Amino acid sequence: MTANLFQPYTLNHTLTLTNKILMAPLTRCMADENLVPTQAMADYYARRAEAGLIISEATIIRPDGQGYPNTPGLFSTEQIQGWQNVTQAVHANGGKIFAQLWHTGRVAHPHFFGGGDVLSASAQAVEGSVPRMRELTYQTPKAATLEDIEGLVSDYAQAAANAMEAGFDGVEIHGANGYLIDQFLHYDSNRRDDEYGQTPENMSRFALEVVDAIIARIGADRTALRVSPGAYFNMGTDARDRAVFDYLLPELAKRNLAYVHAGIFDDAMEFDYLDGRVSSYLRKVYPKTLVGVGSYSAETGAAAIAESKFDLLAIGRPFIANPDYVAKVRNGEAVVEYNDAMLAELV
Ligand code: FNR
Ligand code: 8K6
């Protein structure tokens, strides 16, 4: 019933995955005080090397991208060295790993970077407080100037180059879940009236500039993007968002990325303005390799792949609960059920 997950999958001329089970990016807030990955993190990832591809926890491209405690970075020499230790451990166990590149935009908090502006598409705050730091409420961001945008694009590209230096097999740009890139892609957070706002083409511009800058540095074969056409996390819904993604996805298809990854916690959720599930919507507008995710089991994910709903399956929470998830699925063994208490330690 899950045998199709164990067929190899060729992403492109550069990368072939040994199976179709990906480890989804999972923030664990366990880097050290300089946002350097630790030995415990290297061990944690190495235990999961049987995944066809590991996508690292979201990793900030520069200090003002930080919105949660102890999330790793990829902008200092020490951080690059820390990640080298991780990628070597994964490769030694026969695995592959991409770095997920992150800037939280308006979900950032100056508490983490010693003060200064919080940048977003527009001066529209997200409501609420920082998880695990409930005393910190989000502040109204500064709308990024054209100069800020240029700097951000170049810092994404530098972080991608740093990821290659750290030994990653590629990068997944975090364009999902209401963080910076996603903030440009939705009307709720993008109220700009310049060439980065108002029309689908303009609202897609920042995402495409980041993608193109990274492709120019490390090649399209090693570049992927995660997107959330359905607004549901750190973001308000607006039916006009559909047109933005209708423009963006065909543009991405021209660029021969390694894959596009859905950003969703539960793919059973239906969005009126997408005419259904996020994965079905993406399948309609994006003809290339698509990674599905969101409350799937190996069985339901294998069935979805058999029905061509997507090509590869990313598994998140079950991978926290089961370091040997892939072996268990292969052997038909029961998996341990995830619960939030498991976030307290790296097993
Ligand atoms: C996440 N998710 C997530 N997504 C992302 O793009 N970058 C990240 O760093 C994280 N971090 C993260 C931490 C934790 C604790 C959870 C539970 C989730 C979302 C994750 O990649 C995935 O999309 C969802 O968890 C849905 O998949 P599962 O868990 O139902 O298989
Ligand atoms: C990307 C970084 C995230 C850091 C913490 C993630 C917290 C995970 C929360 C668990 C699941 C919550 C699901 C919320 C989905 C909303 C659906 C309406």
Side-chain angles (χ1 to χ4, degrees):
M1 213 161 67
T2 57
N4 60 345
L5 298 178
F6 292 92
Q7 293 157 358
Y9 187 89
T10 299
L11 285 175
N12 47 50
H13 294 305
T14 311
L15 295 166
T16 294
L17 311 182
T18 56
N19 62 65
K20 297 182 180 176
I21 304 177
L22 276 51
M23 178 177 168
L26 293 160
T27 289
R28 299 303 308 270
C29 301
M30 297 282 185
D32 78 11
E33 68 277 12
N34 297 316
L35 313 187
V36 174
T38 62
Q39 184 60 43
M41 286 167 62
D43 296 341
Y44 158 88
Y45 283 113
R47 281 193 282 276
R48 288 160 174 82
E50 255 208 277
L53 178 66
I54 293 172
I55 304 152
S56 82
E57 63 204 279
T59 298
I60 59 172
I61 61 159
R62 58 186 221 180
D64 69 356
Q66 190 177 355
Y68 305 85
N70 298 92
T71 52
L74 250 174
F75 52 86
S76 76
T77 306
E78 247 190 308
Q79 291 160 358
I80 295 170
Q81 285 166 353
W83 280 117
Q84 270 163 0
N85 188 36
V86 174
T87 61
Q88 277 162 12
V90 169
H91 291 151
N93 286 358
K96 288 195 167 61
I97 181 166
F98 273 29
Q100 195 191 43
L101 302 184
W102 197 24
H103 190 298
T104 64
R106 65 178 181 171
V107 184
H109 201 288
H111 166 81
F112 298 116
F113 49 89
D117 290 327
V118 166
L119 292 178
S120 184
S122 297
Q124 292 289 323
V126 64
E127 286 183 11
S129 54
V130 180
R132 303 185 195 200
M133 307 284 286
R134 297 285 170 193
E135 70 281 14
L136 298 180
T137 50
Y138 293 118
Q139 65 181 56
T140 302
K142 171 190 157 194
T145 62
L146 297 183
E147 197 183 349
D148 291 330
I149 289 176
E150 212 176 295
L152 285 161
V153 170
S154 121
D155 289 339
Y156 271 103
Q158 184 59 49
N162 293 349
M164 300 317 293
E165 190 183 339
F168 282 101
D169 297 286
V171 305
E172 176 179 293
I173 303 160
H174 196 343
N177 297 349
Y179 299 114
L180 181 63
I181 292 173
D182 208 23
Q183 288 158 26
F184 279 83
L185 294 171
H186 293 268
Y187 283 89
D188 171 57
S189 45
N190 185 340
R191 315 270 173 107
R192 300 177 73 93
D193 55 13
D194 64 358
E195 65 261 43
Y196 290 90
Q198 282 184 322
T199 68
E201 189 177 348
N202 285 349
M203 291 168 71
S204 299
R205 192 178 310 282
F206 179 61
L208 291 171
E209 284 179 353
V210 171
V211 167
D212 289 338
I214 291 181
I215 290 175
R217 283 298 271 276
I218 70 169
D221 281 1
R222 299 193 185 274
T223 304
L225 178 68
R226 192 172 213 196
V227 288
S228 293
Y232 71 108
F233 190 65
N234 296 317
M235 188 66 77
T237 294
D238 189 314
R240 292 174 296 169
D241 291 351
R242 161 78 180 250
V244 179
F245 288 87
D246 282 351
Y247 174 81
L248 176 66
L249 272 300
E251 280 299 315
L252 293 170
K254 295 180 192 162
R255 284 158 168 89
N256 291 316
L257 296 174
Y259 61 83
V260 164
H261 187 179
I264 183 84
F265 280 82
D266 182 358
D267 194 30
M269 275 175 79
E270 304 218 341
F271 295 84
D272 290 350
Y273 63 93
L274 300 178
D275 300 318
R277 296 178 175 214
V278 163
S279 59
S280 325
Y281 167 72
L282 288 173
R283 198 52 144 178
K284 265 185 280 184
V285 290
Y286 187 74
K288 298 191 168 166
T289 299
L290 178 63
V291 180
V293 71
S295 302
Y296 284 97
S297 65
E299 289 75 18
T300 59
I305 289 176
E307 293 165 24
S308 290
K309 294 193 161 149
F310 43 80
D311 306 294
L312 298 164
L313 170 67
I315 292 287
R317 287 162 287 190
F319 247 121
I320 293 177
N322 300 272
D324 54 349
Y325 183 81
V326 175
K328 280 182 172 155
V329 171
R330 189 188 318 97
N331 300 330
E333 291 167 29
V335 297
V336 174
E337 201 171 326
Y338 166 86
N339 69 68
D340 288 338
M342 293 174 179
L343 294 178
E345 92 180 291
L346 287 179
V347 174

Short mmCIF file of all heavy atoms in Angstrom, two decimals, residues 33-85:
data_model
loop_
_atom_site.label_atom_id
_atom_site.label_comp_id
_atom_site.label_asym_id
_atom_site.label_seq_id
_atom_site.Cartn_x
_atom_site.Cartn_y
_atom_site.Cartn_z
N GLU A 33 23.07 30.09 21.54
CA GLU A 33 22.74 31.52 21.68
C GLU A 33 23.23 32.37 20.51
O GLU A 33 22.72 33.47 20.28
CB GLU A 33 23.25 32.08 23.04
CG GLU A 33 24.75 32.15 23.18
CD GLU A 33 25.40 30.82 23.61
OE1 GLU A 33 24.77 29.74 23.59
OE2 GLU A 33 26.60 30.87 23.96
N ASN A 34 24.19 31.85 19.73
CA ASN A 34 24.62 32.55 18.52
C ASN A 34 23.92 32.01 17.27
O ASN A 34 24.36 32.25 16.15
CB ASN A 34 26.14 32.44 18.36
CG ASN A 34 26.86 33.14 19.51
OD1 ASN A 34 26.48 34.23 19.90
ND2 ASN A 34 27.87 32.48 20.07
N LEU A 35 22.84 31.26 17.51
CA LEU A 35 22.03 30.68 16.42
C LEU A 35 22.85 29.70 15.57
O LEU A 35 22.65 29.56 14.37
CB LEU A 35 21.38 31.77 15.56
CG LEU A 35 20.69 32.92 16.33
CD1 LEU A 35 19.95 33.84 15.36
CD2 LEU A 35 19.74 32.40 17.41
N VAL A 36 23.77 29.03 16.24
CA VAL A 36 24.62 28.02 15.60
C VAL A 36 24.02 26.64 15.86
O VAL A 36 23.66 26.33 17.00
CB VAL A 36 26.06 28.08 16.18
CG1 VAL A 36 26.93 26.94 15.63
CG2 VAL A 36 26.69 29.43 15.92
N PRO A 37 23.89 25.80 14.81
CA PRO A 37 23.39 24.43 15.02
C PRO A 37 24.34 23.65 15.94
O PRO A 37 25.57 23.77 15.83
CB PRO A 37 23.40 23.83 13.62
CG PRO A 37 23.39 24.99 12.70
CD PRO A 37 24.12 26.10 13.40
N THR A 38 23.79 22.85 16.80
CA THR A 38 24.57 22.11 17.79
C THR A 38 24.82 20.68 17.34
O THR A 38 24.22 20.20 16.37
CB THR A 38 23.79 22.05 19.11
OG1 THR A 38 22.57 21.32 18.84
CG2 THR A 38 23.45 23.43 19.65
N GLN A 39 25.66 19.99 18.12
CA GLN A 39 25.90 18.55 17.86
C GLN A 39 24.59 17.76 18.01
O GLN A 39 24.32 16.83 17.25
CB GLN A 39 26.96 18.03 18.83
CG GLN A 39 27.35 16.57 18.58
CD GLN A 39 27.91 16.35 17.17
OE1 GLN A 39 28.71 17.15 16.67
NE2 GLN A 39 27.46 15.29 16.49
N ALA A 40 23.76 18.14 18.99
CA ALA A 40 22.48 17.42 19.18
C ALA A 40 21.60 17.55 17.94
O ALA A 40 20.89 16.61 17.56
CB ALA A 40 21.74 17.97 20.40
N MET A 41 21.68 18.71 17.29
CA MET A 41 20.91 18.89 16.04
C MET A 41 21.49 18.01 14.92
O MET A 41 20.74 17.42 14.14
CB MET A 41 20.91 20.37 15.63
CG MET A 41 19.99 21.22 16.50
SD MET A 41 20.25 23.01 16.29
CE MET A 41 19.83 23.22 14.56
N ALA A 42 22.81 17.92 14.85
CA ALA A 42 23.44 17.06 13.83
C ALA A 42 22.99 15.61 14.04
O ALA A 42 22.63 14.90 13.08
CB ALA A 42 24.96 17.17 13.90
N ASP A 43 22.97 15.18 15.29
CA ASP A 43 22.57 13.80 15.59
C ASP A 43 21.10 13.58 15.22
O ASP A 43 20.73 12.54 14.66
CB ASP A 43 22.77 13.50 17.08
CG ASP A 43 24.24 13.57 17.49
OD1 ASP A 43 25.11 13.50 16.59
OD2 ASP A 43 24.52 13.72 18.70
N TYR A 44 20.27 14.56 15.55
CA TYR A 44 18.82 14.50 15.25
C TYR A 44 18.58 14.34 13.75
O TYR A 44 17.84 13.47 13.30
CB TYR A 44 18.20 15.76 15.81
CG TYR A 44 16.86 16.25 15.27
CD1 TYR A 44 15.66 15.80 15.83
CD2 TYR A 44 16.80 17.20 14.25
CE1 TYR A 44 14.43 16.29 15.37
CE2 TYR A 44 15.59 17.69 13.79
CZ TYR A 44 14.41 17.23 14.34
OH TYR A 44 13.20 17.72 13.89
N TYR A 45 19.26 15.18 12.95
CA TYR A 45 19.06 15.08 11.50
C TYR A 45 19.65 13.78 10.96
O TYR A 45 19.06 13.14 10.08
CB TYR A 45 19.66 16.30 10.79
CG TYR A 45 18.78 17.54 10.90
CD1 TYR A 45 19.19 18.66 11.63
CD2 TYR A 45 17.53 17.60 10.28
CE1 TYR A 45 18.37 19.80 11.73
CE2 TYR A 45 16.72 18.72 10.37
CZ TYR A 45 17.15 19.82 11.09
OH TYR A 45 16.33 20.93 11.19
N ALA A 46 20.81 13.39 11.47
CA ALA A 46 21.47 12.18 10.96
C ALA A 46 20.59 10.94 11.19
O ALA A 46 20.56 10.03 10.35
CB ALA A 46 22.83 12.00 11.63
N ARG A 47 19.85 10.93 12.29
CA ARG A 47 18.95 9.79 12.56
C ARG A 47 17.82 9.71 11.54
O ARG A 47 17.18 8.68 11.43
CB ARG A 47 18.33 9.94 13.96
CG ARG A 47 19.24 9.54 15.10
CD ARG A 47 18.49 9.40 16.41
NE ARG A 47 18.18 10.68 17.04
CZ ARG A 47 19.01 11.36 17.82
NH1 ARG A 47 20.21 10.89 18.08
NH2 ARG A 47 18.64 12.51 18.34
N ARG A 48 17.56 10.80 10.84
CA ARG A 48 16.44 10.85 9.89
C ARG A 48 16.92 10.80 8.43
O ARG A 48 16.16 11.10 7.50
CB ARG A 48 15.62 12.11 10.16
CG ARG A 48 14.83 11.98 11.48
CD ARG A 48 14.41 13.31 12.05
NE ARG A 48 13.55 13.15 13.21
CZ ARG A 48 13.98 12.92 14.47
NH1 ARG A 48 15.28 12.80 14.73
NH2 ARG A 48 13.11 12.77 15.46
N ALA A 49 18.19 10.38 8.23
CA ALA A 49 18.80 10.44 6.89
C ALA A 49 18.18 9.49 5.88
O ALA A 49 18.44 9.60 4.68
CB ALA A 49 20.31 10.18 7.00
N GLU A 50 17.37 8.56 6.33
CA GLU A 50 16.70 7.66 5.38
C GLU A 50 15.62 8.36 4.57
O GLU A 50 15.11 7.81 3.58
CB GLU A 50 16.10 6.47 6.13
CG GLU A 50 16.90 5.20 5.96
CD GLU A 50 16.02 3.97 6.09
OE1 GLU A 50 15.78 3.55 7.23
OE2 GLU A 50 15.58 3.43 5.05
N ALA A 51 15.19 9.53 5.00
CA ALA A 51 14.24 10.30 4.18
C ALA A 51 14.84 10.52 2.79
O ALA A 51 16.05 10.70 2.67
CB ALA A 51 13.94 11.64 4.85
N GLY A 52 14.00 10.54 1.77
CA GLY A 52 14.49 10.82 0.42
C GLY A 52 15.17 12.18 0.38
O GLY A 52 16.16 12.39 -0.32
N LEU A 53 14.64 13.13 1.15
CA LEU A 53 15.25 14.45 1.30
C LEU A 53 14.80 15.03 2.64
O LEU A 53 13.61 15.00 2.95
CB LEU A 53 14.79 15.39 0.17
CG LEU A 53 15.31 16.83 0.23
CD1 LEU A 53 16.82 16.89 0.03
CD2 LEU A 53 14.61 17.71 -0.83
N ILE A 54 15.77 15.52 3.41
CA ILE A 54 15.43 16.28 4.62
C ILE A 54 15.39 17.75 4.23
O ILE A 54 16.29 18.24 3.54
CB ILE A 54 16.51 16.08 5.71
CG1 ILE A 54 16.53 14.64 6.21
CG2 ILE A 54 16.31 17.06 6.87
CD1 ILE A 54 17.70 14.32 7.15
N ILE A 55 14.35 18.45 4.66
CA ILE A 55 14.36 19.92 4.54
C ILE A 55 14.61 20.43 5.96
O ILE A 55 13.89 20.06 6.89
CB ILE A 55 13.03 20.44 3.97
CG1 ILE A 55 12.74 19.77 2.62
CG2 ILE A 55 13.08 21.97 3.82
CD1 ILE A 55 11.27 19.66 2.31
N SER A 56 15.64 21.24 6.11
CA SER A 56 16.01 21.69 7.46
C SER A 56 14.90 22.55 8.04
O SER A 56 14.07 23.11 7.32
CB SER A 56 17.30 22.50 7.41
OG SER A 56 17.02 23.85 7.03
N GLU A 57 14.92 22.70 9.34
CA GLU A 57 14.08 23.69 10.00
C GLU A 57 14.37 25.06 9.38
O GLU A 57 15.48 25.30 8.89
CB GLU A 57 14.40 23.71 11.48
CG GLU A 57 15.83 24.13 11.80
CD GLU A 57 16.30 23.60 13.15
OE1 GLU A 57 15.96 24.19 14.18
OE2 GLU A 57 17.00 22.56 13.14
N ALA A 58 13.38 25.94 9.43
CA ALA A 58 13.57 27.26 8.84
C ALA A 58 14.78 27.95 9.49
O ALA A 58 14.95 27.91 10.71
CB ALA A 58 12.31 28.10 9.03
N THR A 59 15.62 28.55 8.64
CA THR A 59 16.93 29.08 9.05
C THR A 59 17.03 30.52 8.58
O THR A 59 16.87 30.79 7.38
CB THR A 59 18.03 28.19 8.43
OG1 THR A 59 17.86 26.87 8.97
CG2 THR A 59 19.41 28.68 8.74
N ILE A 60 17.26 31.43 9.51
CA ILE A 60 17.15 32.84 9.14
C ILE A 60 18.36 33.33 8.33
O ILE A 60 19.49 32.94 8.55
CB ILE A 60 16.89 33.74 10.37
CG1 ILE A 60 17.98 33.62 11.41
CG2 ILE A 60 15.53 33.43 10.99
CD1 ILE A 60 17.84 34.66 12.53
N ILE A 61 18.03 34.19 7.37
CA ILE A 61 19.05 34.68 6.44
C ILE A 61 19.83 35.85 7.01
O ILE A 61 20.92 36.17 6.54
CB ILE A 61 18.43 35.09 5.08
CG1 ILE A 61 17.41 36.23 5.26
CG2 ILE A 61 17.78 33.89 4.40
CD1 ILE A 61 17.14 37.01 3.98
N ARG A 62 19.23 36.53 8.00
CA ARG A 62 19.93 37.65 8.63
C ARG A 62 19.23 37.99 9.95
O ARG A 62 18.09 37.55 10.17
CB ARG A 62 19.99 38.86 7.69
CG ARG A 62 18.64 39.36 7.25
CD ARG A 62 18.77 40.45 6.21
NE ARG A 62 17.81 41.51 6.43
CZ ARG A 62 17.71 42.60 5.67
NH1 ARG A 62 18.53 42.76 4.64
NH2 ARG A 62 16.82 43.53 5.93
N PRO A 63 19.87 38.75 10.82
CA PRO A 63 19.34 38.91 12.18
C PRO A 63 17.91 39.42 12.25
O PRO A 63 17.12 38.94 13.07
CB PRO A 63 20.33 39.89 12.82
CG PRO A 63 21.63 39.63 12.11
CD PRO A 63 21.24 39.31 10.69
N ASP A 64 17.53 40.38 11.40
CA ASP A 64 16.18 40.94 11.54
C ASP A 64 15.09 40.02 11.00
O ASP A 64 13.92 40.40 10.99
CB ASP A 64 16.09 42.34 10.92
CG ASP A 64 16.20 42.33 9.40
OD1 ASP A 64 16.44 41.25 8.81
OD2 ASP A 64 16.05 43.41 8.80
N GLY A 65 15.47 38.82 10.61
CA GLY A 65 14.48 37.83 10.17
C GLY A 65 13.98 36.95 11.29
O GLY A 65 13.15 36.06 11.07
N GLN A 66 14.47 37.18 12.51
CA GLN A 66 14.18 36.25 13.60
C GLN A 66 12.89 36.58 14.35
O GLN A 66 12.72 37.70 14.83
CB GLN A 66 15.36 36.22 14.59
CG GLN A 66 15.21 35.11 15.62
CD GLN A 66 16.39 35.01 16.58
OE1 GLN A 66 17.38 35.73 16.44
NE2 GLN A 66 16.27 34.14 17.57
N GLY A 67 12.03 35.58 14.51
CA GLY A 67 10.77 35.78 15.21
C GLY A 67 10.53 34.78 16.33
O GLY A 67 9.50 34.85 17.00
N TYR A 68 11.47 33.86 16.52
CA TYR A 68 11.31 32.82 17.56
C TYR A 68 12.68 32.61 18.20
O TYR A 68 13.71 32.81 17.56
CB TYR A 68 10.84 31.49 16.95
CG TYR A 68 9.57 31.60 16.14
CD1 TYR A 68 9.61 31.99 14.79
CD2 TYR A 68 8.33 31.33 16.70
CE1 TYR A 68 8.44 32.10 14.04
CE2 TYR A 68 7.15 31.44 15.96
CZ TYR A 68 7.22 31.82 14.63
OH TYR A 68 6.07 31.93 13.89
N PRO A 69 12.69 32.17 19.45
CA PRO A 69 13.98 31.98 20.13
C PRO A 69 14.81 30.82 19.54
O PRO A 69 14.25 29.79 19.15
CB PRO A 69 13.57 31.66 21.57
CG PRO A 69 12.15 31.19 21.49
CD PRO A 69 11.54 31.87 20.31
N ASN A 70 16.11 31.00 19.50
CA ASN A 70 17.04 29.92 19.15
C ASN A 70 16.76 29.23 17.82
O ASN A 70 16.94 28.03 17.69
CB ASN A 70 17.10 28.88 20.29
CG ASN A 70 17.61 29.50 21.57
OD1 ASN A 70 16.81 29.97 22.39
ND2 ASN A 70 18.92 29.56 21.73
N THR A 71 16.30 30.02 16.85
CA THR A 71 16.19 29.44 15.51
C THR A 71 17.54 29.65 14.82
O THR A 71 18.14 30.71 14.92
CB THR A 71 15.07 30.13 14.72
OG1 THR A 71 15.25 31.55 14.76
CG2 THR A 71 13.71 29.78 15.30
N PRO A 72 18.05 28.63 14.11
CA PRO A 72 19.40 28.75 13.55
C PRO A 72 19.48 29.79 12.44
O PRO A 72 18.48 30.15 11.84
CB PRO A 72 19.65 27.35 12.99
CG PRO A 72 18.30 26.77 12.74
CD PRO A 72 17.40 27.36 13.79
N GLY A 73 20.71 30.24 12.17
CA GLY A 73 20.97 31.19 11.10
C GLY A 73 21.92 30.61 10.07
O GLY A 73 22.48 29.52 10.26
N LEU A 74 22.07 31.36 8.96
CA LEU A 74 23.04 30.99 7.93
C LEU A 74 23.73 32.25 7.43
O LEU A 74 23.84 32.47 6.23
CB LEU A 74 22.33 30.29 6.76
CG LEU A 74 22.59 28.80 6.56
CD1 LEU A 74 21.71 28.23 5.45
CD2 LEU A 74 24.06 28.47 6.30
N PHE A 75 24.11 33.10 8.39
CA PHE A 75 24.76 34.35 7.97
C PHE A 75 26.12 34.57 8.62
O PHE A 75 26.85 35.45 8.20
CB PHE A 75 23.84 35.56 8.21
CG PHE A 75 23.28 35.66 9.61
CD1 PHE A 75 24.01 36.29 10.61
CD2 PHE A 75 22.05 35.11 9.92
CE1 PHE A 75 23.50 36.38 11.91
CE2 PHE A 75 21.54 35.19 11.22
CZ PHE A 75 22.26 35.82 12.21
N SER A 76 26.51 33.76 9.62
CA SER A 76 27.84 33.94 10.22
C SER A 76 28.72 32.72 9.90
O SER A 76 28.20 31.64 9.60
CB SER A 76 27.74 34.12 11.73
OG SER A 76 27.49 32.87 12.37
N THR A 77 30.02 32.92 10.00
CA THR A 77 30.97 31.82 9.75
C THR A 77 30.72 30.66 10.70
O THR A 77 30.75 29.49 10.30
CB THR A 77 32.40 32.35 9.94
OG1 THR A 77 32.54 33.49 9.11
CG2 THR A 77 33.45 31.33 9.57
N GLU A 78 30.46 31.00 11.94
CA GLU A 78 30.20 29.96 12.95
C GLU A 78 28.95 29.14 12.60
O GLU A 78 28.92 27.93 12.79
CB GLU A 78 29.86 30.68 14.26
CG GLU A 78 30.83 30.54 15.39
CD GLU A 78 30.17 31.12 16.65
OE1 GLU A 78 29.68 32.28 16.59
OE2 GLU A 78 30.13 30.40 17.67
N GLN A 79 27.92 29.84 12.12
CA GLN A 79 26.69 29.13 11.73
C GLN A 79 26.95 28.21 10.54
O GLN A 79 26.48 27.07 10.51
CB GLN A 79 25.58 30.13 11.40
CG GLN A 79 25.07 30.89 12.62
CD GLN A 79 24.35 32.19 12.25
OE1 GLN A 79 24.26 32.56 11.08
NE2 GLN A 79 23.86 32.89 13.26
N ILE A 80 27.72 28.70 9.58
CA ILE A 80 28.04 27.86 8.40
C ILE A 80 28.80 26.62 8.87
O ILE A 80 28.50 25.50 8.44
CB ILE A 80 28.86 28.67 7.36
CG1 ILE A 80 28.01 29.81 6.79
CG2 ILE A 80 29.38 27.76 6.25
CD1 ILE A 80 28.79 30.82 5.95
N GLN A 81 29.73 26.81 9.80
CA GLN A 81 30.49 25.65 10.30
C GLN A 81 29.59 24.68 11.06
O GLN A 81 29.72 23.46 10.94
CB GLN A 81 31.64 26.12 11.21
CG GLN A 81 32.77 26.71 10.40
CD GLN A 81 33.77 27.50 11.25
OE1 GLN A 81 33.54 27.72 12.45
NE2 GLN A 81 34.85 27.93 10.63
N GLY A 82 28.66 25.22 11.85
CA GLY A 82 27.71 24.37 12.58
C GLY A 82 26.88 23.53 11.62
O GLY A 82 26.65 22.33 11.83
N TRP A 83 26.45 24.17 10.53
CA TRP A 83 25.66 23.43 9.53
C TRP A 83 26.52 22.41 8.79
O TRP A 83 26.03 21.36 8.36
CB TRP A 83 24.98 24.39 8.56
CG TRP A 83 23.72 25.01 9.09
CD1 TRP A 83 23.48 26.34 9.32
CD2 TRP A 83 22.51 24.32 9.44
NE1 TRP A 83 22.20 26.52 9.81
CE2 TRP A 83 21.58 25.30 9.89
CE3 TRP A 83 22.11 22.98 9.44
CZ2 TRP A 83 20.28 24.97 10.32
CZ3 TRP A 83 20.83 22.66 9.87
CH2 TRP A 83 19.92 23.64 10.30
N GLN A 84 27.83 22.72 8.61
CA GLN A 84 28.72 21.73 7.97
C GLN A 84 28.71 20.43 8.75
O GLN A 84 28.68 19.34 8.18
CB GLN A 84 30.15 22.27 7.89
CG GLN A 84 30.42 23.03 6.60
CD GLN A 84 31.67 23.92 6.69
OE1 GLN A 84 32.35 23.97 7.72
NE2 GLN A 84 31.95 24.62 5.61
N ASN A 85 28.71 20.56 10.06
CA ASN A 85 28.67 19.38 10.91
C ASN A 85 27.36 18.59 10.70
O ASN A 85 27.37 17.35 10.67
CB ASN A 85 28.80 19.85 12.38
CG ASN A 85 28.97 18.72 13.34
OD1 ASN A 85 29.64 17.72 13.03
ND2 ASN A 85 28.35 18.83 14.51
#
